[in-house]
Amino acid sequence: MKQHKDAHEALSVVLSGQRIFVHGAASTPLRLIDGLVSHAGRLRDVEVMHLHTFGDAAYADPACAESFRVANLFVGGNMRRYYDGGRVDYLPCFLSEIPALFRSGERPIDVALIHLSPPDDHGFCTLGCSVDVALEAIRTARTVIAQINPRMPRVHGDGFVHISRIDHYIEVDDPIPEVPRPVLGEVERAIGRHAAALIEDGATLQMGIGAIPDAVLGALHGHRHLGVHTEMWSDGLLDLIEIGAVDNSRKKSHRGKSVSGFIMGSNRVYEFIDDNPSVIQARIDWVNSPHEIAKNPRVTAINSAVEVDLTGQVCADSIGHRIISGVGGQMDFIRGASLSEGGKPIIALPSRARNGASRIVPALRSGGGVVTTRSHVHYIITEYGVANLYGRTLNERAEALIAIAHPDDREMLAREWRAIRAVSG
């Protein structure tokens, strides 16, 4: 283990042709990324691989084309402008299966860049806000380079990393990236009310970050004995914990604990999770295992979509051929919730996009990826209501989806569905 004076010096061990894993979400090691980019002049054909990250991702800039290429496991907002499907590409994989991708040698990691809390008296740091796939990256990487930060929360669970596992490190004192809370409109609030009506007291929740998840959580303040087993969470869930609506008392797995793979939000969230034994961050192949998810009662999984076709196919990672996010854990939790006793897998989306186009469509646009298949889908929610597609024929599904589309789009959708039936019949 070697301490370095700065990130440029620490990253001098990276060689051309290597594959670099970058810790993601609120644990993005921004100083180490700057150090990596500072070596662009000498490096060639280095692959950078990660989930969603913060920062400007300068290694993806065309100015660094000879030095770096990117394999996105999730295309975050900072990467969309660089995505070209070539040098900056997307690797589709269920989030729960990414650790196996590392272990199998299918995508071996040469260097892992990670962001840690300081070591305790026994020499253990933690992965803080983001355990997810980073734990397996550390276990399989040939070289581990860390930035150690006293502002990183010390979080209980699987994310302990002994200082002896670190090959090179720098010390920083930087704020953890924060995510501002979304502004909720009436569309999101209506979706939240519809979703909350499906959620029972004692349910186990999975939902992400953004306006719709926050609207759902905001509509649950009157609920009791809710539990948390989720890929990630943020401020909206903390509100429910603080008022006692979430107490994790009815869960069968890790009762009394809020379980997740990563957390990102405001500094208020980071202060809450610091050394808090009621919060567990676990490796993502366990958190997102449908078998583990299903152990809990009434798992209610709420995920989003770009568009849903009239047979129930859900596109959630692209607009046509343009990748805007990733497969993530949607299918992991859709399947886990459906296997849970009393579980409810839900896809929630506004009836229309910002440009006014219907997001319930006769057919997915060309190039649109099917993230959740029509065989897996159960509930679809818009601001106009709930369509339960489980156990429904294709024609029954189309009728139910048309009924929750924007009123001005329903005639068009019905006409298009009649045309589809005429061709398919």
Side-chain angles (χ1 to χ4, degrees):
M1 181 180 66
K2 182 178 180 181
Q3 182 176 3
H4 295 268
K5 63 180 181 180
D6 57 33
H8 177 80
E9 181 181 279
L11 271 295
S12 63
V13 300
V14 174
L15 304 175
S16 294
Q18 290 188 319
R19 178 175 291 114
I20 312 296
F21 170 83
V22 179
H23 201 176
S27 293
T28 304
L30 296 172
R31 292 281 194 102
L32 296 183
I33 290 173
D34 288 345
L36 178 66
V37 174
S38 74
H39 287 278
R42 69 172 180 84
L43 294 173
R44 294 293 180 268
D45 195 34
V46 170
E47 180 178 276
V48 182
M49 182 169 58
H50 51 66
L51 291 162
H52 166 71
T53 59
F54 282 92
D56 60 9
Y59 51 84
D61 191 282
C64 294
E66 292 185 3
S67 304
F68 306 110
R69 52 192 168 84
V70 186
N72 286 284
L73 298 166
F74 187 97
V75 179
N78 62 345
M79 295 298 300
R80 290 171 193 155
R81 60 181 170 148
Y82 298 123
Y83 179 80
D84 59 13
R87 185 182 70 88
V88 181
D89 209 349
Y90 166 55
L91 194 162
C93 186
F94 292 139
L95 190 53
S96 61
E97 295 184 1
I98 291 174
L101 192 69
F102 300 161
R103 283 194 302 271
S104 68
E106 189 68 34
R107 213 78 181 182
I109 297 170
D110 295 300
V111 180
L113 307 184
I114 60 172
H115 193 172
L116 300 174
S117 64
D120 61 19
D121 291 343
H122 304 286
F124 285 96
C125 307
T126 80
L127 287 163
C129 296
S130 182
V131 172
D132 52 65
V133 304
L135 185 64
E136 197 62 38
I138 291 169
R139 288 173 173 172
T140 59
R142 295 187 177 95
T143 303
V144 177
I145 305 175
Q147 63 177 57
I148 297 177
N149 186 356
R151 302 201 207 185
M152 177 62 72
R154 180 180 186 271
V155 184
H156 294 234
D158 291 340
F160 287 99
V161 179
H162 197 269
I163 197 72
S164 62
R165 183 63 188 91
I166 309 305
D167 299 293
H168 304 270
Y169 75 96
I170 60 171
E171 293 181 341
V172 304
D173 188 0
D174 297 338
I176 306 302
E178 296 185 70
V179 179
R181 295 192 72 161
V183 177
L184 304 185
E186 184 48 42
V187 168
E188 291 83 11
R189 294 185 190 278
I191 292 172
R193 290 191 294 270
H194 290 311
L198 293 176
I199 299 172
E200 304 165 80
D201 286 348
T204 302
L205 304 178
Q206 178 265 324
M207 56 192 65
I209 191 171
I212 289 177
D214 262 24
V216 176
L217 293 166
L220 294 175
H221 284 215
H223 282 58
R224 291 294 177 265
H225 305 304
L226 298 171
V228 178
H229 183 113
T230 184
E231 181 179 306
M232 65 84 58
W233 59 272
S234 190
D235 289 73
L237 186 65
L238 180 53
D239 294 342
L240 292 182
I241 295 172
E242 290 181 335
I243 66 171
V246 167
D247 62 12
N248 293 293
S249 63
R250 303 293 171 84
K251 291 170 61 181
K252 292 185 179 178
S253 175
H254 287 75
R255 184 168 294 175
K257 311 288 186 180
S258 294
V259 174
S260 61
F262 65 101
I263 296 169
M264 57 184 186
S266 69
N267 197 54
R268 166 175 164 253
V269 172
Y270 305 147
E271 290 176 352
F272 177 81
I273 66 176
D274 183 41
D275 206 20
N276 185 338
S278 74
V279 176
I280 289 179
Q281 291 268 72
R283 67 184 199 277
I284 210 66
D285 47 346
W286 180 86
V287 172
N288 281 39
S289 164
H291 173 73
E292 295 296 332
I293 294 164
K295 288 180 179 179
N296 290 304
R298 296 185 289 280
V299 173
T300 304
I302 300 180
N303 289 273
S304 61
V306 173
E307 57 184 14
V308 179
D309 78 11
L310 290 176
T311 72
Q313 295 188 114
V314 176
C315 174
D317 64 352
S318 65
I319 300 175
H321 291 279
R322 184 164 66 91
I323 303 296
I324 61 167
S325 57
V327 172
Q330 181 172 123
M331 268 300 302
D332 296 330
F333 275 92
I334 289 290
R335 188 60 180 152
S338 69
L339 295 172
S340 164
E341 182 179 353
K344 295 187 175 83
I346 295 169
I347 300 293
L349 72 166
S351 64
R352 281 182 160 178
R354 292 179 182 174
N355 65 3
S358 179
R359 293 176 71 168
I360 295 177
V361 295
L364 301 182
R365 71 185 72 192
S366 176
V370 177
V371 171
T372 294
T373 76
R374 57 192 173 203
S375 299
H376 289 97
V377 75
H378 284 219
Y379 295 92
I380 306 291
I381 297 178
T382 73
E383 69 271 29
Y384 294 103
V386 180
N388 183 3
L389 306 188
Y390 183 66
R392 304 295 187 266
T393 67
L394 294 182
N395 192 57
E396 290 167 345
R397 287 165 174 243
E399 291 175 350
L401 287 167
I402 290 169
I404 64 167
H406 191 283
D408 293 345
D409 296 324
R410 293 173 190 173
E411 182 179 346
M412 174 274 294
L413 291 168
R415 183 174 63 250
E416 291 291 331
W417 180 246
R418 288 193 297 271
I420 290 170
R421 288 178 59 191
V423 172
S424 62

